[in-house]
Amino acid sequence: YRSNAPSLPPPAPVQRGPLADSTEKSPSTLLPPPLPPPPPGLGVAPPAPPLPGTAVVSKYINLATAEYAGPTPSVTMRPLHWKKVPPNESVDTVWTHAQTEEWNGIVGLLEPAKMEILFSANQTVRIGADLSPQLNRPQKTALIDLRRAQNVSIMLSKFRCTFKELRQAVLSLDTAVLDVDKTTELIKFVPSEEEIELLKAYTGDVSMLGSAERFFLEVAAIHRYKERLQVHLLILTFDDRCTELDDKLSSLVMCLTELTQCKRLHRFMLHVLAVGNFMNHGTSMGNAAAFHLEVLNQAIHMRSNVDGVTLLHFLASHLYNTDRDVLGLPNDLAHCEAGANVSLSSISELMAGMRKEQAVATREHAQSIGKDGFKAILADFLPHAEKTLCSVDHQHAVCVALVGDAKSLYAEMRPSLTQQELCGAFATFKTALVSVINDNELARGKLVQSTVDDSLDSTCDLSHDKDLATSASSTSFSEIAPVQSILAGVGSESSASWHKDQAASVAPDCMMRGASRVVDPVEEWLVKHDLAA
């Protein structure tokens, strides 16, 4: 610290007492004593004192009160979460001794561009990356729509090869590079004619183009690029698609064969006709020779005068008593559900589409002039495709003929009735019939058990001997369970025979009254409601 005032002899030391030491030291008392004046003749004349009325400009900057005058960021920065020191507490700190020139030099050394890259709020940079290319990176030239270019770039990221290698894979139809999914993606992003013309008109540096533009330029040189990809996709998926169609047609053939040749189904329809003519006797709907298939659905939902009993319940009970073999009908319709899930019209559309794709492949084979193996691949594929499609066509023709036979057999020649509706009607009927048969079997088992219990109660009431009654009572708890099992049809044939013998020896009246007659749930319901004959 150098003073501009004239040199004075050093002041005498001040005697400090206890009170003086306790007082707060001012900043001036902390400064070192002034240097002695230079020897005569060697020093420089002291500067002239300031003119009256002019302010003394200090070369120290007061950062506590000065405004920041350095460069400012052009983007939003990540904040540095520090705690500011209040101005009144930063009087005597390292920052208060900074000179103005020194502070301005430090501020001038800031690197705003690097800090904006490293600490901007909306940008991340890979650690260890070179910052100089990012600072002066040239902008890529965009010739196509930005969103489309972005989607193309995402699609290209699935390929682990260069654009030239991808182009060669397309020319040679390399299945190791171009599987079904990747070929489908390439077909979605085939460059349009406008995009190709725009790229061909570009005369700048190709390396300055984006990845989508450079890829389009690479494949634009392939003759009939889109058609080649479509043919490749046909070759990849042809066998699987034909196998799927053949399986569906085979299921439909078996379903229609069951409908036209099932004797039990034909007898069941005769039983329905007889019941319907009885119910419609004396009306305009009586004396019918045939009926439409919607009657099957009506039988499922038509309720009787007894709660829980439908017309289909009665039909199943009636067949159990009169023509029990017909109840094995569900086993003869094993493919009805599969046939109902097949749409013959959809299969026709798929086959027509495959025929169009085959025609494209045939045309490409005729127009192919390259030596990349494409023509040889098509030469092997086209005969196989024709043979396979002819086999599928034959299966389709068989199904169409069987649908016509089934509709004629069941008097359903309405053009509006589709094959799915025809098979679906029988599939729904089969499911409902199985449920009704199970309901009747469950009710029949409960009725048998109730009949056995009633017979045993009657036997116990006729006994007058207390010891005999006690013995009969204990027998009913220990040995009647096998009786109920055999009547309900539970257990093997050998155990059933044993249980029957035991039951006959213990409760002959029970067996005579409970098992000698056919127990029918519908008949029991009618008896309970006093409706039996």
Side-chain angles (χ1 to χ4, degrees):
Y1 178 81
R2 295 180 182 274
S3 175
N4 295 327
S7 301
L8 296 175
V14 180
Q15 298 293 331
R16 297 182 179 272
L19 296 177
D21 292 338
S22 62
T23 59
E24 182 180 0
K25 296 181 181 180
S26 64
S28 60
T29 60
L30 299 178
L31 297 177
L35 297 176
L42 296 179
V44 181
L51 298 176
T54 60
V56 178
V57 179
S58 175
K59 58 181 178 182
Y60 293 93
I61 183 171
N62 188 359
L63 296 178
T65 59
E67 293 289 338
Y68 174 78
T72 57
S74 60
V75 297
T76 303
M77 303 293 293
R78 292 161 50 190
L80 177 60
H81 296 281
W82 61 17
K83 187 175 181 181
K84 291 176 58 177
V85 178
N88 60 344
E89 297 180 8
S90 59
V91 175
D92 191 16
T93 61
V94 294
W95 297 282
T96 57
H97 299 295
Q99 297 184 13
T100 303
E101 183 178 355
E102 180 185 12
W103 171 250
N104 292 337
I106 291 176
V107 171
L109 294 177
L110 289 175
E111 297 178 303
K114 288 186 178 180
M115 287 192 293
E116 288 179 358
I117 292 175
L118 293 174
F119 302 106
S120 62
N122 300 321
Q123 182 179 3
T124 57
V125 178
R126 181 175 55 86
I127 297 177
D130 187 10
L131 297 180
S132 56
Q134 299 187 26
L135 297 178
N136 300 314
R137 177 182 297 174
Q139 296 293 329
K140 293 291 185 180
T141 302
L143 299 180
I144 62 178
D145 180 72
L146 294 179
R147 182 176 294 274
R148 177 169 168 80
Q150 182 180 9
N151 293 333
V152 173
S153 300
I154 295 174
M155 180 270 297
L156 292 175
S157 64
K158 301 177 182 179
F159 293 89
R160 304 299 181 183
C161 59
T162 63
F163 293 157
K164 290 185 178 180
E165 292 173 345
L166 182 57
R167 176 177 177 271
Q168 185 60 35
V170 175
L171 290 174
S172 60
L173 301 184
D174 189 356
T175 57
V177 179
L178 301 178
D179 56 12
V180 175
D181 296 334
K182 293 180 179 179
T183 305
T184 304
E185 290 295 318
L186 287 176
I187 293 176
K188 291 180 181 178
F189 295 102
V190 172
S192 62
E193 296 181 0
E194 293 79 6
E195 291 171 338
I196 294 178
E197 292 178 0
L198 186 62
L199 291 170
K200 288 183 177 180
Y202 176 71
T203 57
D205 187 3
V206 177
S207 63
M208 298 302 299
L209 295 175
S211 58
E213 287 85 354
R214 288 185 282 114
F215 168 71
F216 281 175
L217 277 176
E218 194 70 37
V219 300
I222 301 178
H223 180 65
R224 300 180 67 82
Y225 169 67
K226 181 178 180 180
E227 289 76 8
R228 182 181 289 258
L229 290 176
Q230 291 175 340
V231 170
H232 181 59
L233 184 62
L234 172 63
I235 296 174
L236 291 177
T237 61
F238 181 80
D239 288 337
D240 291 340
R241 292 159 65 186
C242 287
T243 300
E244 182 180 0
L245 291 178
D246 187 72
D247 291 342
K248 290 182 178 181
L249 291 173
S250 298
S251 299
L252 184 57
V253 166
M254 289 185 287
C255 172
L256 296 171
T257 302
E258 291 172 352
L259 296 182
T260 55
Q261 298 182 7
C262 180
K263 300 300 182 182
R264 289 172 174 170
L265 179 59
H266 300 167
R267 285 188 60 82
F268 181 86
M269 301 299 279
L270 290 175
H271 281 284
V272 174
L273 180 64
V275 171
N277 277 329
F278 175 82
M279 297 175 65
N280 294 329
H281 178 70
T283 67
S284 59
M285 295 181 294
N287 197 27
F291 55 86
H292 290 296
L293 294 179
E294 62 262 17
V295 173
L296 298 179
N297 188 56
Q298 294 180 15
I300 298 173
H301 298 94
M302 184 177 181
R303 298 179 180 179
S304 67
N305 296 328
V306 179
D307 292 338
V309 179
T310 64
L311 179 58
L312 190 59
H313 280 94
F314 168 75
L315 287 171
S317 175
H318 173 65
L319 293 173
Y320 183 86
N321 294 328
T322 60
D323 198 356
R324 192 174 302 182
D325 179 68
V326 178
L327 292 181
L329 170 62
N331 297 326
D332 297 340
L333 303 179
H335 298 87
C336 272
E337 292 83 357
N341 293 328
V342 177
S343 174
L344 201 57
S345 58
S346 298
I347 291 180
S348 300
E349 295 177 359
L350 292 175
M351 293 180 59
M354 295 185 68
R355 281 295 186 183
K356 291 181 180 179
E357 294 176 11
Q358 181 194 19
V360 172
T362 303
R363 184 172 62 251
E364 292 301 314
H365 176 262
Q367 296 180 359
S368 178
I369 57 177
K371 299 180 181 180
D372 49 19
F374 180 61
K375 194 177 186 69
I377 293 175
L378 286 180
D380 295 336
F381 168 73
L382 290 176
H384 167 70
E386 179 63 25
K387 180 180 179 180
T388 305
L389 286 179
C390 288
S391 176
V392 177
D393 286 339
H394 175 72
Q395 281 281 78
H396 182 268
V398 171
C399 287
V400 172
L402 288 176
V403 169
D405 294 343
K407 294 176 68 174
S408 176
L409 185 62
Y410 294 102
E412 289 290 354
M413 298 308 296
R414 295 172 294 164
S416 60
L417 182 67
T418 64
Q419 159 266 324
Q420 273 190 303
E421 294 174 343
L422 176 67
C423 298
F426 285 102
T428 303
F429 157 72
K430 171 194 169 183
T431 303
L433 181 60
V434 171
S435 177
V436 165
I437 292 175
N438 293 335
D439 290 344
N440 286 354
E441 289 294 335
L442 182 62
R444 190 175 294 111
K446 292 181 179 180
L447 292 176
V448 169
Q449 180 178 354
S450 176
T451 304
V452 172
D453 293 341
D454 293 343
S455 299
L456 290 175
D457 292 340
S458 300
T459 303
C460 294
D461 292 340
L462 294 175
S463 176
H464 299 287
D465 189 350
K466 182 177 181 179
D467 295 337
L468 182 60
T470 303
S471 175
S473 176
S474 61
T475 302
S476 65
F477 283 99
S478 60
E479 301 188 15
I480 291 305
V483 176
Q484 297 175 359
S485 298
I486 184 58
L487 292 179
V490 180
S492 61
E493 294 182 358
S494 59
S495 62
S497 177
W498 182 86
H499 289 316
K500 185 175 182 180
D501 295 339
Q502 293 295 322
S505 62
V506 173
D509 293 338
C510 170
M511 294 297 298
M512 185 180 302
R513 298 175 186 177
S516 60
R517 66 182 181 89
V518 176
V519 181
D520 184 76
V522 176
E523 179 183 349
E524 184 68 18
W525 284 322
L526 295 177
V527 170
K528 287 183 179 180
H529 292 78
D530 297 329
L531 299 176

